């Protein structure tokens, strides 16, 4: 282990980079983990220090210059008294992580649950503390600082009747969590990963979910990010799909000052099917970046991706979507679309859908649109007595609610539409 990394001159480092290095030195002795974990943390932080936070010169971060945008890092806050929220969907089993600490009493029938800090303590988590590539700043930050979370195993053939809600709440400071989750063959489940601030205090949040779907598993995974106006949220989900596995992944961003949500997905089993739907609600002066890297690595697989964004005020956003079709991945069917309503002259949104195809028998396509509300639709509603502001809000709601309704589960649809409606009432 090379602890000299925290004592070397910080030189040209930014204020935020300096704060990260100093925070690591201050926290190192109390971070959970055996010797192997400590050594891995040290190497990740050293790599982060050498490379620095990514800038727009790095293609994967072209629209989110983290070195410039992340200006400060709040000090780590002590665990404060935070009560869990009511679940998003009534009847859900809530597994809460409050101010970075997983609930000691968390349990759910039919599945195995362990604290991630225990996996760190015995060293079994060390293999997952990796950066996926040289530009993986989230992997390095989270691997360096992660304290807790839940490791979940759903056995083969299990069918969970109620959703599991991973409820991550904070009251400012630094929050770093991890959720390795494996779904056994032919299992069925709905997971809600919910991130939320309960105060106005600024926070730096990093969270990584490592998800494995064994053959025939059918899973719905929902990410609902509702951070505070001063918060930075760095999220990453890593997914591997087995043979005939089906994943419905829904991502809703409805908060945060600086948000980067990465989706790293590998389709590794024939017959696998991915449905990705995303909703970005962007207001104030926030910036939200959703970046997808999807690998179709075997023949006879399908995926559809639709991202819809609404931009108000001086907000900015980006969607980068890369679909890679491997040479052996014949009969791949992959379609991707990014549609954006730009409702402010001061707002910005960048869309960059990409295809890399190395097979010759595939059906793949992508597209992107950026527009304002159709004036004809607005006139139609106003001519029938609907006030303009109400008409605009209704049209915006319909634009994003169409995506949510694909969930089919009435309780989930109602809950997410409620989140969207509440956000639009504050911004539309």
């Amino acid at each position: 282990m090379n602890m000299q990394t925290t004592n070397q001159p910080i030189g040209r480092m930014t204020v935020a980079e300096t704060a990260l290095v100093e925070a690591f030195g201050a926290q190192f002795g109390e971070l959970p983990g055996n010797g192997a974990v400590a050594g891995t943390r040290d190497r990740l932080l050293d790599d982060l220090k050498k490379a620095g936070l990514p800038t727009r010169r790095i293609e994967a971060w072209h629209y989110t210059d983290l070195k410039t945008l992340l200006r400060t890092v709040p000090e780590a806050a002590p665990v404060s008294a935070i009560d869990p929220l009511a679940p998003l969907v009534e009847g859900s089993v809530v597994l809460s992580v409050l101010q970075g600490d997983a609930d000691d009493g968390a349990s759910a029938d039919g599945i195995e649950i362990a604290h991630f800090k225990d996996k760190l303590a015995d060293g079994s988590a060390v293999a997952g503390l990796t950066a996926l590539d040289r530009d993986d700043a989230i992997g390095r930050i989270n691997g360096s600082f992660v304290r807790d979370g839940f490791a979940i195993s759903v056995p083969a053939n299990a069918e969970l009747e109620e959703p599991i809600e991973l409820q991550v709440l904070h009251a400012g400071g630094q929050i770093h969590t991890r959720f390795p989750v494996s779904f056994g063959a032919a299992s069925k489940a709905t997971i809600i990963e919910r991130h939320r601030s309960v105060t106005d205090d600024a926070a730096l949040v990093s969270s990584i979910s490592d998800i494995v779907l064994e053959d025939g598993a059918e899973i719905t995974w929902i990410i609902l990010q509702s951070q505070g106006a001063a918060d930075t949220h760095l999220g990453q989900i890593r997914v591997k799909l087995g043979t005939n596995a089906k994943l419905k992944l829904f991502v809703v961003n409805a908060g945060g000052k600086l948000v980067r949500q990465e989706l790293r997905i590998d389709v590794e089993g024939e017959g696998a099917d991915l449905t990705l739907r995303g909703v970005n609600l962007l207001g104030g002066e926030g910036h939200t970046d959703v970046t997808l890297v999807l690998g179709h690595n075997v023949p006879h697989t399908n995926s559809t991706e639709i991202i819809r964004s609404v931009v108000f005020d001086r907000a900015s956003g980006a969607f980068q979507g890369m679909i890679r079709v491997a040479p052996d991945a014949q009969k791949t069917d992959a379609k991707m679309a990014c549609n954006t309503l730009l409702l402010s002259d001061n707002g910005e949104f960048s869309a960059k859908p990409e295809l890399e195809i190395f097979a010759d028998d595939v059906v793949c396509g992508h597209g992107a649109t950026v527009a304002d509300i159709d004036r004809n639709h607005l006139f139609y509603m106003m001519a029938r007595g609907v006030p303009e502001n109400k008409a605009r809000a209704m049209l915006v709601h319909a634009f994003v609610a169409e995506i949510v309704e694909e969930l089919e589960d009435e309780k989930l649809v109602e809950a997410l539409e409620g989140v969207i409606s509440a956000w639009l009432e504050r911004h539309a």
Side-chain angles (χ1 to χ4, degrees), residues 180 224 240 265 269 275 322 346 422:
L224 174 57
K240 295 186 183 300
I265 304 172
T275 300
M322 166 64 78
N346 297 315

Side-chain angles (χ1 to χ4, degrees), residues 114-127:
H115 283 193
F116 191 70
K117 64 183 176 185
D118 294 336
K119 299 290 185 180
L120 292 167
D122 64 22
S124 59
V126 70

Side-chain angles (χ1 to χ4, degrees), residues 83-136:
D83 295 325
L85 300 175
L88 183 70
V89 175
E90 185 178 356
S92 298
V93 176
V94 175
L95 307 180
S96 57
V97 181
L98 308 177
Q99 199 64 23
D101 263 6
D103 179 14
D104 288 334
S107 64
D109 293 338
I111 64 175
E112 298 179 10
I113 302 173
H115 283 193
F116 191 70
K117 64 183 176 185
D118 294 336
K119 299 290 185 180
L120 292 167
D122 64 22
S124 59
V126 70
L129 300 182
T130 59
L132 296 180
D133 52 48
R134 65 182 182 179
D135 301 328
D136 184 9

Side-chain angles (χ1 to χ4, degrees), residues 11 33 56 94 133 139 157 169 178 181 208 232 236 291 299 321 324 366 398 400:
R56 63 182 295 112
V94 175
D133 52 48
N157 301 307
L169 308 181
R178 197 89 167 211
V181 183
I208 295 181
T232 295
Q236 188 180 87
T291 294
R324 294 174 175 152
H366 63 63
V400 293

Side-chain angles (χ1 to χ4, degrees), residues 296 301-304 331-335 362-364:
H296 282 269
T301 60
N302 302 301
S303 71
T304 62
K331 302 295 184 182
T332 292
D333 188 335
K335 299 178 179 66
V362 302
V363 178
C364 295

Side-chain angles (χ1 to χ4, degrees), residues 109-420:
D109 293 338
I111 64 175
E112 298 179 10
I113 302 173
H115 283 193
F116 191 70
K117 64 183 176 185
D118 294 336
K119 299 290 185 180
L120 292 167
D122 64 22
S124 59
V126 70
L129 300 182
T130 59
L132 296 180
D133 52 48
R134 65 182 182 179
D135 301 328
D136 184 9
I138 296 177
R140 291 191 178 112
I141 292 172
N142 185 267
S144 298
F145 291 96
V146 62
R147 288 177 176 269
D148 210 349
F150 289 108
I152 300 173
S153 178
V154 179
N157 301 307
E159 185 170 349
L160 305 186
E161 295 183 359
E162 302 296 341
I164 302 291
E165 181 173 315
L166 304 174
Q167 190 178 102
V168 186
L169 308 181
H170 70 81
Q174 297 178 27
I175 309 299
H176 305 280
T177 54
R178 197 89 167 211
F179 301 102
V181 183
S182 63
F183 297 96
S187 60
K188 297 182 180 180
T190 295
I191 308 293
I192 301 170
E193 180 184 336
R194 187 181 181 191
H195 299 268
R196 182 167 171 177
S197 170
V198 297
T199 69
D200 295 330
D201 296 331
L204 170 64
V205 177
S206 76
S207 181
I208 295 181
S209 297
D210 293 286
I211 304 171
V212 177
L213 276 68
E214 301 291 350
D215 298 351
E218 296 184 15
I219 304 302
T220 297
W221 190 287
I222 297 166
I223 300 174
L224 174 57
Q225 180 275 122
S226 303
Q227 301 290 14
D231 294 341
T232 295
H233 180 90
L234 303 176
Q236 188 180 87
I237 185 167
R238 306 173 177 181
V239 181
K240 295 186 183 300
L241 297 179
T243 300
N244 294 322
K246 292 181 173 58
L247 174 63
K248 292 182 179 179
L249 176 59
F250 283 73
V251 181
V252 179
N253 286 304
K257 180 178 181 180
L258 172 59
V259 177
R260 167 86 168 195
Q261 179 65 62
E262 294 184 356
L263 314 172
R264 307 286 195 99
I265 304 172
D266 285 305
V267 183
E268 299 186 336
E270 291 194 36
D273 186 277
L274 167 69
T275 300
L276 168 63
R277 299 293 183 264
V279 173
N280 296 313
L281 303 173
L282 312 180
E285 296 187 352
H287 176 81
T288 296
D289 175 341
V290 176
T291 294
L292 164 70
V293 179
L294 168 61
H296 282 269
N297 302 324
V298 296
H300 300 282
T301 60
N302 302 301
S303 71
T304 62
E305 300 82 39
I306 300 176
I307 306 295
R308 292 199 174 172
S309 304
V310 182
V311 183
F312 291 93
D313 308 321
R314 300 178 62 86
S316 62
F319 170 69
Q320 300 181 97
M322 166 64 78
I323 297 177
R324 294 174 175 152
V325 182
D328 295 333
Q330 306 293 348
K331 302 295 184 182
T332 292
D333 188 335
K335 299 178 179 66
M336 178 169 55
C338 176
N339 310 116
T340 302
L341 282 180
L342 190 58
L343 303 177
S344 168
D345 292 338
N346 297 315
E348 297 180 3
F349 196 88
S350 301
K352 185 186 177 187
E354 299 178 86
L355 294 173
E356 284 187 357
I357 303 174
F358 299 99
D360 54 15
D361 186 8
V362 302
V363 178
C364 295
H366 63 63
T369 61
V370 179
D372 198 345
I373 289 176
D374 189 313
R375 300 298 301 180
N376 291 326
H377 296 166
L378 194 61
F379 174 79
Y380 178 88
M381 298 183 69
M382 292 173 63
R384 282 151 182 79
V386 181
E388 181 176 0
N389 61 339
K390 180 67 172 178
R392 291 176 68 87
M394 291 172 65
L395 290 170
V396 172
H397 186 273
F399 173 73
V400 293
E402 183 180 17
I403 297 296
V404 174
E405 288 169 0
E406 292 188 34
L407 277 167
E408 298 179 351
D409 184 306
E410 292 184 3
K411 289 184 178 180
L412 277 173
V413 171
E414 182 180 357
L416 290 177
E417 285 194 343
V419 171
I420 292 169

